[in-house]
């Protein structure tokens, strides 16, 4: 059983924003239900809105009631556990202030000191626009709020996107590490908060059977898919300036990629795990200009329908440039130049407005060395897949060939499957619970280190450069499809095909 986190004050910049309402407050609620919040815990919301602390509490309580009542939602429950929620809400206060104003930080300092039971420890959560990460950290430093004294900790959680490209990520790391030491910085990637993502390590390193086959001798290739049914969902301003590559690939997809490709760490300590992830990124063969065009596909969705709902052309979405050249889909082939993976391609794809939501990692094993059954030619062999289904319907399955009953010897593909829900009762959660708890206890295993962030950008930067130079065409796919035909061609060139969604 996990113990309650140590006492501290949590300071949320961007307290009246969507992230706080939708994810952070529900996460505190769950931590409270699971008895993981310490006595001496306080939350200080910081924002520019003219609201009273009481109005803020009432507003967030209303929102929480809505989340638990939402039948299809991630937090659907019979009703709000008011006792658990009250424990959060009574500890919640609000500081109205501009994040560019030094006085705001002086006030925060006074509030942290006033929470005597918090022991002077503070965790700052930057739930604000990315352009404010650097400036806020700087002012935290100047106000003396980053100083760790008398055993108290001072830590900062930084949301994504961490940088817009390699140069800006490096600059942000430089700014942040000019104020804080690496162990005070917690760069979030919410994919690491997902149980099924964490389970990749448990599956690989907690079991003895697959690891001996986890390399180039036995694995043919790997496919990583993060297909989303949702479109830009009112985030046109952010999305059109960002695109699928920056939004998803160097962060979320690379979490899956590195967890699958990394070598066993010497322990599960934060740096041991992050060292191994870093090695993977550093061994990805750099894409030269030609490869950046050849091995990456970008595409935009056109009008179509997803789950019976009509979807407009991406360029007709609100706050999207009618001549936008922002991609809503990316497919990428990566090659890792190390002993484990030489010659094993990793194909990654992600897109908005696709057929359905489907996040999976599929590993295809090499075929049997010869076809024993005369009627079955080598090309008719059934591929052997290990599939880690991340969401929805979390589970792990093995797909292999079995004999079709009857006098003729012929094989068909069958599936052996494990579903989480058949074994574990999972409390409804946002995925932020573990991450916030870990930051409070100072465990950075599920957070990104500076070099992990830069390593991710380093891999995709040549593609971003090629696209910015308009050197690669923009493919199209109808909303509700599995992606553009150009992505199929990327695999067809290697004699392979994507798994159907
Ligand atoms: C976010 C992206 O980081 O991750 C979104 O900005 C994306 O565009 C989301 O939809 C996907 O996360 P999840 O948890 O819904 O799979």
């Amino acid at each position: 059983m996990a113990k309650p986190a140590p006492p501290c004050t949590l300071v949320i910049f961007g307290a009246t924003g969507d992230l706080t309402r939708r994810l952070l407050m529900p996460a505190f609620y769950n931590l409270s239900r699971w008895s993981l919040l310490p006595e001496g815990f306080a939350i200080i919301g910081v924002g520019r809105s003219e609201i009273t602390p009481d109005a803020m509490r009432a507003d967030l309580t209303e929102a929480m009631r809505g989340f638990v009542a939402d039948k299809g939602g991630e937090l659907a429950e019979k009703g709000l556990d008011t006792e658990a929620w009250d424990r959060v809400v009574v500890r919640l206060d609000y500081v109205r202030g501009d994040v560019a104003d030094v006085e705001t930080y002086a006030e925060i300092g006074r509030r942290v000191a006033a929470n005597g039971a918090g022991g002077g420890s503070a965790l700052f959560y930057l739930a604000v626009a990315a352009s404010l990460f650097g400036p806020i950290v700087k002012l935290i430093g100047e106000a003396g709020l980053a100083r760790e004294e008398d055993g108290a900790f001072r830590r900062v959680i930084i949301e994504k996107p961490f940088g817009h490209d390699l140069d800006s990520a490096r600059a942000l790391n430089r700014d942040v590490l000019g104020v804080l030491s690496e162990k005070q910085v917690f760069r979030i990637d919410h994919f690491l908060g997902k149980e099924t993502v964490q389970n990749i390590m448990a599956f690989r390193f907690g079991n003895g059977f697959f690891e001996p086959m986890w390399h180039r001798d036995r694995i043919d290739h790997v496919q990583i898919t993060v297909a989303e049914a949702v479109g830009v969902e009112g985030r046109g301003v952010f999305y059109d300036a960002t695109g699928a590559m920056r939004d998803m690939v160097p962060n979320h997809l690379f979490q899956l990629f590195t967890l699958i490709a990394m070598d066993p760490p010497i322990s599960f300590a934060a740096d041991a795990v992050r060292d191994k992830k870093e090695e993977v990124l550093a061994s990805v063969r750099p894409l030269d200009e030609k490869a950046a065009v050849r091995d990456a596909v970008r595409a935009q969705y056109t009008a179509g329908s997803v789950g019976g709902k009509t979807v407009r052309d991406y360029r007709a979405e609100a706050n999207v440039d009618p001549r936008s050249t922002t991609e809503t889909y990316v497919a990428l082939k990566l090659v890792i130049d190390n002993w484990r993976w030489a010659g094993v391609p990793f194909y990654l794809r992600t897109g908005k407005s696709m057929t359905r939501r489907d996040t999976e990692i599929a590993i295809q094993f090499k075929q049997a060395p010869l076809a024993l059954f005369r009627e079955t030619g080598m090309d008719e062999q059934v591929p052997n897949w290990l599939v880690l289904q991340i969401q929805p319907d979390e589970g792990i399955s093995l797909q292999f060939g079995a004999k079709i009953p009857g006098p003729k010897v012929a094989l068909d593909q069958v599936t052996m499957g494990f579903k989480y829900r058949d074994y574990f009762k999972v409390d409804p959660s946002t995925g932020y619970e573990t991450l916030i708890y870990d930051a409070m206890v100072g465990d950075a295993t599920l957070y990104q280190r500076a070099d992990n962030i830069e390593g991710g950008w380093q891999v995709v930067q040549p593609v971003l450069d090629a696209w910015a130079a308009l050197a690669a065409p923009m493919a199209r796919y109808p909303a509700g499809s599995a992606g553009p035909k150009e992505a199929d061609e990327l695999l067809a060139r290697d004699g392979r095909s994507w798994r159907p969604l």
Side-chain angles (χ1 to χ4, degrees), residues 242-292:
T242 307
M245 178 74 105
R246 291 182 164 91
D247 189 34
M248 300 293 290
V249 179
N251 34 63
H252 305 329
L253 270 83
F254 281 7
Q255 294 305 341
L256 307 180
F257 170 58
T258 50
L259 285 169
I260 289 295
M262 69 195 244
D263 277 348
I266 55 166
S267 74
F268 285 129
D271 278 333
V273 172
R274 300 189 296 180
D275 284 349
K276 291 299 166 195
K277 288 177 155 185
E278 184 47 28
E279 282 174 13
V280 173
L281 295 172
S283 1
V284 172
R285 183 179 305 165
L287 296 160
D288 59 20
E289 234 170 273
K290 219 169 99 206

Side-chain angles (χ1 to χ4, degrees), residues 214-221 261 263 283-285 333-346 366 496:
W214 211 262
H215 51 69
R216 62 188 306 275
D217 293 347
R218 297 303 331 137
I219 290 178
D220 178 75
H221 76 282
D263 277 348
S283 1
V284 172
R285 183 179 305 165
K333 173 183 171 182
L334 296 177
V335 171
I336 303 177
D337 283 333
N338 68 14
W339 278 57
R340 185 188 281 266
W341 295 116
V344 179
F346 283 71
K366 290 198 166 150
R496 302 192 174 97

Side-chain angles (χ1 to χ4, degrees), residues 322-362:
R323 287 174 313 168
S324 171
T325 55
T326 300
E327 77 289 351
T328 62
Y329 174 101
V330 192
L332 200 59
K333 173 183 171 182
L334 296 177
V335 171
I336 303 177
D337 283 333
N338 68 14
W339 278 57
R340 185 188 281 266
W341 295 116
V344 179
F346 283 71
Y347 303 99
L348 280 59
R349 62 176 163 167
T350 183
K352 297 270 185 208
S353 294
M354 294 178 69
T355 331
R356 64 183 193 95
R357 183 177 197 221
D358 184 8
T359 300
E360 66 161 46
I361 301 161

Side-chain angles (χ1 to χ4, degrees), residues 215-481:
H215 51 69
R216 62 188 306 275
D217 293 347
R218 297 303 331 137
I219 290 178
D220 178 75
H221 76 282
V222 178
Q223 295 188 12
I224 298 178
T225 299
V226 182
E228 294 192 277
V230 293
V232 286
E233 308 283 294
R235 296 159 79 216
V237 174
F238 163 78
Y239 197 82
D240 205 38
T242 307
M245 178 74 105
R246 291 182 164 91
D247 189 34
M248 300 293 290
V249 179
N251 34 63
H252 305 329
L253 270 83
F254 281 7
Q255 294 305 341
L256 307 180
F257 170 58
T258 50
L259 285 169
I260 289 295
M262 69 195 244
D263 277 348
I266 55 166
S267 74
F268 285 129
D271 278 333
V273 172
R274 300 189 296 180
D275 284 349
K276 291 299 166 195
K277 288 177 155 185
E278 184 47 28
E279 282 174 13
V280 173
L281 295 172
S283 1
V284 172
R285 183 179 305 165
L287 296 160
D288 59 20
E289 234 170 273
K290 219 169 99 206
V293 175
R294 189 193 57 213
D295 292 343
V297 173
R298 60 171 165 171
Q300 246 180 18
Y301 64 81
T302 54
S305 104
V306 178
K309 272 206 210 119
T310 307
V311 174
R312 285 187 289 182
D313 189 290
Y314 172 67
R315 292 178 178 187
E317 295 279 7
N319 298 319
V320 167
D321 181 346
R323 287 174 313 168
S324 171
T325 55
T326 300
E327 77 289 351
T328 62
Y329 174 101
V330 192
L332 200 59
K333 173 183 171 182
L334 296 177
V335 171
I336 303 177
D337 283 333
N338 68 14
W339 278 57
R340 185 188 281 266
W341 295 116
V344 179
F346 283 71
Y347 303 99
L348 280 59
R349 62 176 163 167
T350 183
K352 297 270 185 208
S353 294
M354 294 178 69
T355 331
R356 64 183 193 95
R357 183 177 197 221
D358 184 8
T359 300
E360 66 161 46
I361 301 161
I363 295 158
Q364 190 181 344
F365 287 89
K366 290 198 166 150
Q367 302 214 313
L370 61 125
L372 269 189
F373 311 111
R374 208 157 276 158
E375 292 86 345
T376 326
M378 276 307 277
D379 49 353
E380 286 165 47
Q381 277 197 21
V382 177
N384 294 166
W385 289 102
L386 167 67
V387 181
L388 307 181
Q389 183 70 34
I390 307 293
Q391 58 191 18
D393 218 9
E394 293 79 357
I396 298 176
S397 67
L398 269 178
Q399 298 174 4
F400 52 91
K403 182 184 166 296
I404 302 170
K408 189 168 169 278
V409 180
L411 301 188
D412 199 359
Q413 188 160 56
V414 297
T415 302
M416 208 160 79
F418 147 76
K419 297 261 182 253
Y420 275 80
R421 63 177 143 77
D422 294 341
Y423 285 80
F424 305 111
K425 184 190 164 296
V426 190
D427 276 334
S429 69
T430 64
Y432 275 69
E433 291 80 357
T434 318
L435 295 174
I436 292 171
Y437 175 80
D438 283 1
M440 291 199 283
V441 300
D443 179 353
T445 311
L446 299 178
Y447 284 89
Q448 303 247 76
R449 208 168 53 190
D451 54 346
N452 301 145
I453 296 263
E454 291 175 20
W457 282 115
Q458 182 117 34
V459 171
V460 301
Q461 192 61 49
V463 180
L464 293 172
D465 291 343
W467 290 353
L470 294 179
M474 176 69 74
R476 313 267 162 198
Y477 62 103
S481 70

